[in-house]
Amino acid sequence: MTRRRLILATENEHKVREIRELLADLDIEVAHLGERDAPPELTETGATFADNAREKALAVARATGEPALADDSGLMVDALGGAPGVRSARYAGEGASGAELCAKLLREMADVPDNERTARFVCALSLCGPVGEIGRWEGRVEGVITREPRGDGGFGYDPVFYYPPERLTFAQMPPERKNAVSHRGRALQAFRADLPAVLARLG
Ligand code: ITT
């Protein structure tokens, strides 16, 4: 039997690394867009993580003719009414660095008291073939926004996302610890649980 191949519909190299680690033990080749000469453009016009993940996966599946897995994710802060949410990557302007995203968030939350700094990371995964969506999965993880960045691992908002069970920010946790509990890790666990059915649908 030929080895299964999935294309990751993402331009974010940090997501590629984490997803590859989380699927490393499976007999699936995980390719990504950066390995292609002319990758299709990824747009996000939806109002939800799930809609945006589907939009990205479908675009890549149609352009390549192969199954594509997309991750749309972000941070939802209670004191900000769920922001930055689906705008997490653009919250500090197009192309902002992780440090800029964290700085902007900490500025917006300067007056928020410690007991109101709750937040969650959300990850929506969508697997599409050229004719439509094959499956969708979601993972969440609850945490608290710190008052200053801590740690230099991870990416994006990891330095300001404190995970109470470990008493560390995601940026202070080794990659495998973050993956074990993160929104992305949990979404991929759900994906893995459905894998036999998914592979059957891929034919
Ligand atoms: P693609 O659309 O190409 O996948 P992106 O980075 O634009 O890449 P999103 O639109 O899903 O992806 O934006 C997600 C943003 O949310 C991401 O850029 C980070 O700022 C943040 N984010 C998501 N997962 C995160 C994680 O595990 N740790 C820290 N920040 C995260």
Side-chain angles (χ1 to χ4, degrees):
M1 197 169 93
T2 53
R3 198 157 176 246
R4 303 292 181 145
R5 195 171 123 99
L6 275 186
I7 301 192
L8 294 186
T10 176
E11 287 158 344
N12 182 323
E13 72 200 48
H14 302 282
K15 289 185 186 176
V16 172
R17 188 173 318 126
E18 291 188 359
I19 294 170
R20 278 190 162 153
E21 276 166 20
L22 284 156
L23 299 179
D25 60 316
L26 298 177
D27 191 23
I28 293 179
E29 179 188 343
V30 181
H32 78 99
L33 281 185
E35 291 159 354
R36 298 181 67 87
D37 290 343
E41 201 191 333
L42 299 183
T43 55
E44 294 173 12
T45 60
T48 66
F49 295 112
D51 285 349
N52 285 335
R54 181 179 178 280
E55 186 175 337
K56 292 187 280 191
L58 202 52
V60 171
R62 286 197 172 134
T64 61
E66 293 190 65
L69 182 70
D71 161 321
D72 200 68
S73 45
L75 181 66
M76 302 184 73
V77 177
D78 292 322
L80 301 178
V86 291
R87 296 191 61 253
S88 289
R90 292 157 278 157
Y91 185 55
E94 280 309 323
S97 67
E100 288 166 337
L101 292 172
C102 291
K104 159 100 173 159
L105 182 66
L106 293 181
R107 268 199 314 277
E108 296 291 328
M109 295 185 64
D111 297 332
V112 178
D114 287 352
N115 62 349
E116 292 174 24
R117 298 178 73 88
T118 48
R120 66 206 49 78
F121 271 127
V122 180
C123 172
L125 294 175
S126 170
L127 177 70
C128 288
V131 294
E133 191 169 52
I134 294 165
R136 53 170 66 179
W137 301 270
E138 191 187 273
R140 291 170 178 245
V141 59
E142 302 287 329
V144 176
I145 304 303
T146 59
R147 290 202 175 267
E148 72 271 331
R150 272 185 249 151
D152 46 26
F155 69 101
Y157 299 91
D158 282 343
V160 296
F161 188 84
Y162 178 80
Y163 181 62
E166 297 269 351
R167 299 182 178 213
L168 294 171
T169 67
F170 268 7
Q172 292 174 305
M173 288 163 58
E176 63 278 10
R177 284 305 303 150
K178 176 188 167 186
N179 277 345
V181 299
S182 76
H183 49 315
R184 185 162 298 106
R186 288 174 178 166
L188 282 157
Q189 277 163 26
F191 168 76
R192 290 173 64 114
D194 286 346
L195 204 56
V198 165
L199 293 178
R201 282 199 65 186
L202 289 177

